[in-house]
Amino acid sequence: RELRLRPRPSSLPNMSLQGGGAAVTGDSLARMPITMATIGFCSLIWFYLWNYNVSIEKFGYQYEKVVAGRQWWRSISASYAHQHPLHLIFNMASLWNSAVMEVTLGSVAYLKYTFLLVLLSMLTVTGMSYLAIRYFDRPRYRTVYSLGYSCVVFGWMMVQVSCSHTYAPKHTPQTHAQNTH
């Protein structure tokens, strides 16, 4: 199934599929409620974890606990949690720069795709951990912890780039000849 994008509203001059993010304005919450809620949610979780000094062992993704312990909830909790403030800031800034996808797709579709990206990213982490443990003799991947929204943000960046028509122009013999002369 092909990802179909809605035309960009003319009221968003600072946002484009080519990148650059959006200007923070009073109506950001109305235009990008899921992005704003995600930023707020991740920030509140970080503050709670920091304020109460919660250990990563309580909520982080660990292959052994998720697969052998069947604690699947860790896949979701680890996706939205951040342990260090710079990790949170960089992830949320990158999410903000990809907010054009919510405006373009609509909030309901954006929420569905975000949920799929969370699931797919954690399935990928689980699969890669399995391969590292089983075929590359890396038993430490059973017990290493991971967390953060980086996989989801990276997924949105890849969607944004793949939807951009000017990011990587196709080169044909004619355009190559025009660019070299």
Side-chain angles (χ1 to χ4, degrees):
R1 186 172 162 206
E2 185 179 331
L3 183 65
R4 300 203 185 262
L5 300 177
R6 283 194 244 156
R8 183 171 56 99
S10 60
S11 62
L12 303 173
N14 294 333
M15 300 178 75
S16 70
L17 285 176
Q18 286 74 35
V24 179
T25 62
D27 64 342
S28 294
L29 184 59
R31 291 184 297 156
M32 305 171 295
I34 305 304
T35 300
M36 297 296 290
T38 302
I39 291 170
F41 185 62
C42 288
S43 300
L44 284 173
I45 290 174
W46 172 81
F47 181 76
Y48 177 85
L49 298 173
W50 171 78
N51 192 48
Y52 292 102
N53 200 24
V54 179
S55 172
I56 191 173
E57 288 90 11
K58 302 262 188 213
F59 61 90
Y61 174 90
Q62 183 192 61
Y63 180 85
E64 191 70 27
K65 289 184 178 182
V66 170
V67 176
R70 304 225 185 267
Q71 296 177 15
W72 300 104
W73 58 268
R74 288 178 175 274
S75 297
I76 304 299
S77 68
S79 294
Y80 291 95
H82 297 79
Q83 197 167 27
H84 300 288
L86 280 178
H87 185 202
L88 174 72
I89 290 166
F90 285 128
N91 275 350
M92 296 305 103
S94 297
L95 178 62
W96 181 259
N97 283 330
S98 297
V100 66
M101 296 309 299
E102 180 176 2
V103 175
T104 305
L105 293 170
S107 294
V108 174
Y110 180 79
L111 182 62
K112 288 191 309 189
Y113 288 124
T114 296
F115 184 70
L116 284 174
L117 284 172
V118 168
L119 293 178
L120 289 173
S121 66
M122 294 318 293
L123 284 172
T124 301
V125 167
T126 303
M128 296 301 286
S129 297
Y130 171 79
L131 291 173
I133 294 163
R134 171 99 178 175
Y135 296 107
F136 296 100
D137 193 29
R138 301 282 193 256
R140 75 178 195 92
Y141 283 99
R142 286 186 178 281
T143 57
V144 74
Y145 283 93
S146 63
L147 63 138
Y149 207 66
S150 302
C151 289
V152 179
V153 170
F154 181 75
W156 275 120
M157 287 179 185
M158 293 302 98
V159 170
Q160 187 175 355
V161 167
S162 69
C163 293
S164 173
H165 299 293
T166 61
Y167 184 80
K170 294 179 183 175
H171 288 283
T172 63
Q174 292 85 11
T175 59
H176 180 69
Q178 291 170 351
N179 291 336
T180 57
H181 294 301

